[in-house]
């Protein structure tokens, strides 16, 4: 079992840098290719120019380079069936096929599956015309949540405080603000409570839930401003009770069982986004992949060999694998380019990464970075770096992450200073 295998990892974010680091740590990792990768992944493997959303091109590359495992980071390649093409080529793949990726690719699909499986989630209606959606909004009243059915890069959800705001959101979806993704609209009951994410490895039969994590989606401190891809994250979530954790774990098991019962062979990571309501945890959404930035705090805490775990998912031997976790807490703060999630400048030289990374238990994951012709690391995206620290306590991890952030500089460097602050204060911080 000690043979090395070549691995192809798809994606270019902080999540993929964290995946690449963890894969490369494994004695089983031979050559590691990342397509397209970023300024961080090229330090742990070889970045390759390959269209990650072209199923045949990915399968051909994996075959030609003798890969024994393909790992799919983002949702877009999953939804277009890259995993199906890789498996058809006889290569083990971590990531569901197009059928399983509908858990993320269609909110209506995942809501209907949850209904069939009896999974607790917000009451909802799904509509393909504006008039019916608007009538349902008026009937439900505010607050109410409006969601574009398809992939909208995290921007397709409006938590509307008034009926007018909800009607406007419905109108925008049908007017084409999210293209095809908005041709079906889901209108949902507005839930309240702290949020918590639970990711799970699965081979379609066995489910191995990971530890909890929580990101911060809003751009501004105090959870204000527009939604982003994530501004910071921590793991585990201190405010979750043992009872809530058990219920969330059961949801993950029941969901995979339902997928299997419906003939969907789901092998990869299933991401459950929960709200801890007064009636217990309810599902807000499923994603068909690892979270970004959740991965950046989960993987540093995972003691297992990631190549072994992913191969077990791909080859349906996960029943033989148990997960174990480091006791330390992890906190990750995202450094962004000024203006994100709106427009921002690129190409700013970044200094201090090595100083930050030299700190004990600190890892700096690259998200939107590139290396320029002079060999300098420069900004190349909205989310630039994920500064992650481990600590014996939540507070120690948090303080260390912020200390590391101070060592890094680039023009326009922006961050939230309140990552994890509410969780540190305890559950009462949500009862305002
Ligand atoms: P989603 O992409 O479905 O997870 O939604 C993005 C964010 O919108 C979530 O993280 C929540 O903060 C919020 N949200 C989604 N659905 C609901 C809901 N039913 N009630 C309250 N907030 C919600
Ligand atoms: N951080 C949320 C997500 O990956 O969807």
């Amino acid at each position: 079992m000690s043979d090395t295998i070549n691995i192809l990892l798809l994606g270019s974010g902080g999540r993929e840098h964290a995946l690449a680091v963890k894969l490369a740590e494994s004695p089983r990792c031979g050559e590691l290719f990342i397509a397209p990768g970023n300024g961080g992944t090229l330090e742990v493997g070889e970045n390759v120019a390959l269209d990650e959303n072209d199923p045949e091109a990915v399968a051909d590359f994996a075959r030609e380079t003798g890969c024994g495992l393909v790992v799919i980071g983002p949702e877009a390649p999953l939804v277009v069936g890259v995993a199906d093409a890789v498996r058809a080529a006889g290569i083990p793949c971590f990531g569901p096929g197009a059928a399983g990726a509908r858990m993320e690719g269609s909110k209506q699909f995942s809501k209907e599956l949850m209904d069939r499986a009896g999974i607790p989630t917000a009451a909802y209606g799904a509509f393909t015309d504006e008039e019916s959606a608007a009538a349902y909004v008026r009937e439900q009243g505010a607050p109410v949540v409006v969601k574009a059915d398809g992939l909208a890069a995290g921007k397709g959800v409006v938590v509307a405080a008034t009926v007018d705001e909800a009607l406007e959101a419905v109108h925008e979806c049908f007017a084409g603000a999210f293209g095809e993704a908005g041709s079906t609209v889901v209108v949902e009951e507005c839930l309240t409570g702290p949020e918590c994410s639970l990711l799970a490895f699965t081979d379609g039969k066995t489910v191995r839930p990971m530890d909890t994590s929580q990101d911060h989606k809003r751009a501004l401190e105090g959870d204000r401003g527009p939604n982003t891809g994530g501004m910071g994250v921590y793991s585990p979530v201190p405010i979750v009770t043992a009872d809530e954790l058990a219920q969330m774990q059961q949801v993950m098991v029941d969901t995979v069982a339902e997928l299997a019962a419906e003939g969907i062979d789901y092998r990869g990571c299933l991401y459950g986004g929960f709200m801890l309501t007064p009636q217990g945890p309810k599902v807000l959404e499923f994603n068909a992949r690892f979270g970004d930035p959740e991965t950046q705090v989960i993987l540093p805490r995972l003691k297992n060999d990631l190549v072994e775990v992913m191969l077990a998912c791909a080859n349906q031997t996960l029943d033989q694998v148990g997960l174990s976790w480091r006791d330390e807490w992890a906190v990750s703060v995202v450094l962004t380019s000024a203006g994100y999630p709106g427009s921002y400048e690129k190409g700013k030289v970044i200094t201090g990464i090595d100083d930050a990374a030299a700190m004990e238990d600190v890892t700096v994951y690259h998200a939107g970075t590139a290396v320029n012709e002079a060999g300098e690391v420069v900004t190349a995206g909205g989310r630039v770096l994920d500064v992650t620290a481990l600590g014996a306590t939540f507070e120690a991890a948090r303080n260390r992450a912020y200390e590391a952030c101070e060592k890094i500089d680039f023009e326009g460097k922006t961050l939230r200073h309140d990552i994890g602050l509410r969780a540190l204060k305890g559950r009462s911080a949500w009862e305002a």
Side-chain angles (χ1 to χ4, degrees), residues 79-111:
V79 170
V80 298
V82 171
D84 302 291
V86 171
R87 275 187 205 108
I91 301 166
C93 183
F94 183 87
R102 292 185 74 201
M103 287 298 281
E104 172 162 6
S106 167
K107 301 217 182 265
Q108 183 179 11
F109 174 83
S110 71
K111 292 294 278 190

Side-chain angles (χ1 to χ4, degrees), residues 94-362:
F94 183 87
R102 292 185 74 201
M103 287 298 281
E104 172 162 6
S106 167
K107 301 217 182 265
Q108 183 179 11
F109 174 83
S110 71
K111 292 294 278 190
E112 288 175 358
L113 185 130
M114 283 187 259
D115 281 351
R116 290 192 292 273
I119 306 268
T121 185
Y124 75 103
F127 305 94
T128 51
D129 70 281
E130 184 171 346
E131 213 174 303
S132 321
Y136 185 79
V137 163
R138 289 198 188 88
E139 190 186 307
Q140 298 299 312
V144 71
V145 182
V146 178
K147 300 183 177 185
D149 179 64
L151 294 182
K155 297 180 187 121
V157 176
V158 173
V159 181
T162 64
V163 168
D164 280 348
E165 199 186 328
L167 292 175
E168 174 64 25
V170 166
H171 179 74
E172 288 224 333
C173 275
F174 286 116
F178 305 107
E180 227 356 73
S183 61
T184 297
V185 170
V186 170
V187 181
E188 257 184 35
E189 166 197 10
C190 188
L191 303 174
T192 55
E195 289 182 46
C196 178
S197 296
L198 184 66
L199 284 62
F201 288 104
T202 182
D203 61 3
K205 298 189 288 197
T206 301
V207 179
R208 294 278 184 250
M210 301 183 213
D211 238 341
T212 52
S213 59
Q214 183 49 46
D215 78 349
H216 295 62
K217 288 201 172 82
R218 301 296 197 95
L220 304 178
E221 281 164 24
D223 291 323
R224 292 173 300 110
N227 269 323
T228 70
M231 297 295 290
V233 60
Y234 52 84
S235 173
V237 180
I239 55 152
V240 175
T241 66
D243 203 28
E244 286 169 332
L245 181 60
Q247 288 178 52
M248 290 190 286
Q249 290 170 337
Q250 192 60 47
V251 162
M252 302 310 287
V253 169
D254 291 348
T255 303
V256 171
E258 182 65 24
L259 283 162
E262 299 188 13
I264 295 173
D265 182 8
Y266 193 109
R267 305 182 196 188
C269 176
L270 182 65
Y271 168 130
F274 292 85
M275 196 164 255
L276 308 176
T277 78
Q279 294 79 40
K282 293 191 181 182
V283 174
L284 294 178
E285 65 164 346
F286 283 110
N287 293 320
R289 49 163 177 87
F290 272 98
D292 188 350
E294 289 83 344
T295 309
Q296 291 87 305
V297 285
I298 290 174
L299 292 186
R301 298 189 55 242
L302 180 68
K303 287 188 187 166
N304 297 65
D305 178 326
L306 187 63
V307 174
E308 299 284 4
V309 179
M310 288 186 157
L311 279 174
C313 291
N315 295 328
Q316 294 204 299
T317 54
L318 194 60
D319 59 335
Q320 293 161 35
V321 174
L323 302 181
S324 63
W325 300 93
R326 291 175 64 160
D327 286 335
E328 288 97 332
W329 298 77
V331 173
S332 184
V333 178
V334 181
L335 303 183
T336 65
S337 302
Y340 174 78
S343 61
Y344 51 82
E345 291 179 23
K346 294 183 186 176
K348 308 295 181 193
V349 175
I350 308 172
T351 59
I353 295 179
D354 290 345
D355 286 346
M359 287 174 61
E360 200 184 338
D361 282 333
V362 170

Side-chain angles (χ1 to χ4, degrees), residues 378-398:
V378 296
T379 65
R383 289 194 287 174
V384 179
L385 296 167
D386 303 312
V387 182
T388 303
L390 295 174
T393 64
F394 189 16
E395 195 162 19
R398 193 175 175 273

